Amino acid sequence: MINFTSVKDVENIDQLVLEALVEKKFPFANKELGRNKTLGLIFLNPSLRTRLSTQRAAQNLGMDVIVMNLDKEGWTIETKDGVIMDGSAAEHIKEAAAVIGQYCDIIGVRSFPKLLNREEDYSDEILNKFLKYAGVPVVSLESATLHPFQSLADLITITEIRNANPPSPSGEGKRCKVVLSWAPHPKNLPQAVPNSFSEWMTHVPKSFGIDFVITHPEGYELNPLFTSLPLGSGQGSAKIVYNQDEAFKGADFIYAKNWSSYKEYGKNLSQDKSWMITNKKMALTNNAKFMHCLPVRRNMVVADEVLDGPNSVVIQQAGNRIYSAQIILKKILQNL
Ligand code: AN0
Ligand code: CP
């Protein structure tokens, strides 16, 4: 592996998840691999999990890590080509990315969308310019459109839970229903986490036995690029269900997330409280586990009773961010 910005950089998803679980079991087995190698983590937006879990993963592999909050601590960056830089931007991304590439062996970049212009956000300019100019491998720490480290951690978590509850001899539990549910939020949030989760869920091989459903109010349809795969590709498509109660029936995993509209780009069309995840909603499921990438707003997205309840796996899920980052960094280091 060279770069990691999407599930498309992964050759074999089953194998990757198995290998990540081996990293979790023996986290320090490759302490020599990263010796004298430096990971640079560049943030243009806030982060708790991504920042700390990726550092921890790099440390487990023996790497050194340098972190910069480029939006606050660096020069203001120009991203457009051919402009006369007579405004506030002091440095162009061409030089900034290339210079960071001189100091680091691998670079991670977090750059959220602005949610003003769909074409612009979906061009993922910052990430793509790092890929173009850094001269070293680049990993996404959540771009304007995708959050692959999160989705890999989500898949590791689902696999761990399923491994702990193997199917009965009658075959019950062989298939597993995973539901991504929109939930209300006071702010306009990116589509990166749901896009990415959907991209991974539709790319997992059929042998995983996952039936993937997305439920949201009308108007919150995600970019079809991430929810449906071309016919004949051998993999699945997400089933879209507008009735949340209907979608929850028989679910084994409920993954809650708010996102702003893709159609009416960046808009928060609804704050319908009836979409909040409560015990009453969870009672419709097959005793489903509750997932969320965090940070989560309590009693807005999910009720305390669910988040604090026995079926919430959000902390395990956040813990697995280490091993999702660790297996990817390991694969890139092996290629350096
Ligand atoms: C961000 C998002 O929704 O993309 C980061 C999630 C990992 N969340 C917020 O801004 C609250
Ligand atoms: N889930 C996640 O990426 O969290 P942070 O934004 O805190 O990194």
Side-chain angles (χ1 to χ4, degrees):
M1 188 180 288
I2 300 174
N3 302 302
F4 181 66
T5 62
S6 145
V7 73
K8 295 190 174 123
D9 294 313
V10 177
E11 255 176 52
N12 185 331
I13 302 178
D14 317 37
Q15 190 63 26
L16 186 72
V17 172
L18 287 178
E19 287 174 14
L21 289 170
V22 174
E23 292 303 302
K24 185 165 181 172
K25 213 164 176 191
F26 305 105
F28 311 118
N30 294 287
K31 203 74 188 163
E32 278 303 302
L33 186 65
R35 207 171 129 94
N36 294 335
K37 296 280 189 283
T38 295
L39 173 69
L41 298 178
I42 305 299
F43 288 91
L44 288 117
N45 312 94
S47 165
L48 186 159
R49 279 141 291 270
T50 304
R51 184 175 177 133
L52 297 182
S53 64
T54 316
Q55 282 195 59
R56 178 61 201 267
Q59 281 168 213
N60 286 355
L61 293 164
M63 297 184 84
D64 294 312
V65 188
I66 50 184
V67 185
M68 185 168 183
N69 300 312
L70 193 63
D71 59 326
K72 297 188 188 75
E73 297 157 0
W75 301 102
T76 304
I77 301 289
E78 176 61 59
T79 57
K80 300 277 169 283
D81 293 326
V83 294
I84 299 169
M85 289 174 56
D86 60 355
S88 57
E91 172 151 43
H92 201 278
I93 195 164
K94 271 192 184 181
E95 286 77 47
V99 168
I100 296 166
Q102 295 287 306
Y103 308 145
C104 304
D105 300 283
I106 304 174
I107 300 175
V109 182
R110 166 163 284 200
S111 58
F112 285 176
K114 296 195 181 79
L115 296 176
L116 298 172
N117 179 318
R118 187 163 94 174
E119 276 57 53
E120 198 170 308
D121 284 346
Y122 273 72
S123 76
D124 242 325
E125 189 179 35
I126 305 262
L127 180 70
N128 282 317
K129 291 205 161 155
F130 265 90
L131 285 161
K132 191 164 174 191
Y133 299 119
V136 295
V138 172
V139 298
S140 165
L141 304 176
E142 186 174 344
S143 75
T145 58
L146 292 171
H147 195 0
F149 276 142
Q150 181 64 52
S151 313
L152 174 54
D154 301 337
L155 187 57
I156 294 169
T157 309
I158 290 172
T159 306
E160 264 183 331
I161 290 165
R162 293 184 75 200
N163 287 349
N165 304 284
S168 68
S170 66
E172 204 203 325
K174 252 193 163 162
R175 294 203 68 77
C176 145
K177 181 173 173 184
V178 177
V179 179
L180 169 64
S181 178
W182 181 91
H185 196 285
K187 292 262 165 62
N188 303 3
L189 296 191
Q191 292 120 29
V193 170
N195 281 345
S196 187
F197 187 65
S198 179
E199 195 191 35
W200 281 70
M201 287 295 123
T202 50
H203 277 81
V204 287
K206 281 217 160 86
S207 57
F208 269 80
I210 288 180
D211 297 320
F212 181 53
V213 173
I214 307 179
T215 183
H216 55 69
E218 284 191 46
Y220 280 97
E221 292 77 10
L222 294 165
N223 184 341
L225 207 60
F226 306 111
T227 57
S228 48
L229 288 174
L231 278 177
S233 62
Q235 289 140 325
S237 280
K239 187 173 167 203
I240 317 286
V241 177
Y242 294 113
N243 181 322
Q244 193 189 35
D245 289 357
E246 198 54 47
F248 274 37
K249 281 185 193 150
D252 300 293
F253 292 90
I254 298 295
Y255 193 121
K257 181 73 184 85
N258 170 269
W259 62 88
S260 60
S261 174
Y262 173 73
K263 269 189 177 166
E264 288 187 54
Y265 191 66
K267 294 223 170 81
N268 198 350
L269 304 175
S270 160
Q271 289 212 13
D272 185 351
K273 284 268 172 52
S274 73
W275 279 76
M276 179 171 78
I277 317 297
T278 58
N279 272 348
K280 204 170 153 211
K281 296 260 172 196
M282 292 299 283
L284 297 167
T285 69
N286 179 28
N287 196 26
K289 301 292 184 197
F290 174 80
M291 301 179 74
H292 191 283
C293 64
L294 306 182
V296 71
R297 292 199 181 220
R298 284 175 173 258
N299 305 313
M300 186 77 211
V301 169
V302 54
D304 285 341
E305 61 192 21
V306 175
L307 199 58
D308 297 330
N311 283 17
S312 171
V313 296
V314 298
I315 304 301
Q316 178 182 352
Q317 195 183 346
N320 282 332
R321 289 293 307 274
I322 299 176
Y323 309 102
S324 118
Q326 189 163 329
I327 189 59
I328 296 296
L329 291 174
K330 182 181 166 190
K331 286 193 176 293
I332 297 174
L333 284 169
Q334 283 170 332
N335 243 336
L336 280 183

